[in-house]
Amino acid sequence: MINRFERFSFAISEISRYWHKLTSEEMEKYGLKGTHSVYLLTMFRFPDGITAPRLCELCGKDKSDVSRMMSIMEKKGLVKKEGIHQNLYRGLLKLTESGKQAAEHVRKRAILAVELAGKDLTDEKREIFYDALESIVLNLRILSKEGIPQI
């Protein structure tokens, strides 16, 4: 019988692998990688723009990743910088109209994918599942900062 650790690790790995495959396929339409979807969807929630430090915080990425991704998305015509001269971190990043359309498309596809992935769950099970995931993420975040305690 598979123990809890193996089952947990395997499930998380499978979810991550399939989710990344799906996002990669969707983002390919825009000449981007699956990792760009996180930025696109996060920025979509901020129609008046978002700062690079806030984007780092919300996406769980560092400055260099945000800078690199914004540069790529800007070249694709999906992002524009406002009030930024020499420093990316002193202005706002906004989606262009093309960026908003791409984000809306990706958002709808992500909603559909999540809906289909959880189609066999009742509303009650779905709520319990998301609460459990939230708890696991919080506990793993603490463990990654503080380390696994010695037994």
Side-chain angles (χ1 to χ4, degrees), residues 26-108:
E26 289 301 317
M27 296 308 292
E28 198 174 281
K29 298 170 186 166
Y30 303 101
L32 299 170
K33 306 268 184 210
T35 53
H36 290 100
S37 65
V38 172
Y39 292 107
L40 200 60
L41 295 176
T42 301
M43 292 179 72
F44 189 68
R45 295 183 0 229
F46 297 89
D48 295 329
I50 185 170
T51 64
R54 182 74 171 133
L55 199 54
C56 289
E57 179 185 334
L58 293 174
C59 295
K61 304 292 184 178
D62 62 27
K63 289 180 178 183
S64 63
D65 192 70
V66 168
S67 179
R68 185 174 50 257
M69 295 298 186
M70 291 304 105
S71 177
I72 291 167
M73 291 172 69
E74 186 177 25
K75 287 176 185 167
K76 300 284 184 184
L78 302 173
V79 171
K80 62 184 175 183
K81 300 171 185 173
E82 289 189 358
I84 300 172
H85 301 288
Q86 302 292 335
N87 189 336
L88 174 66
Y89 298 93
R90 290 191 183 167
L92 291 177
L93 298 163
K94 290 185 177 185
L95 292 176
T96 63
E97 282 307 311
S98 295
K100 289 175 189 174
Q101 289 172 5
E104 179 63 24
H105 172 79
V106 171
R107 187 182 75 80
K108 285 178 181 176

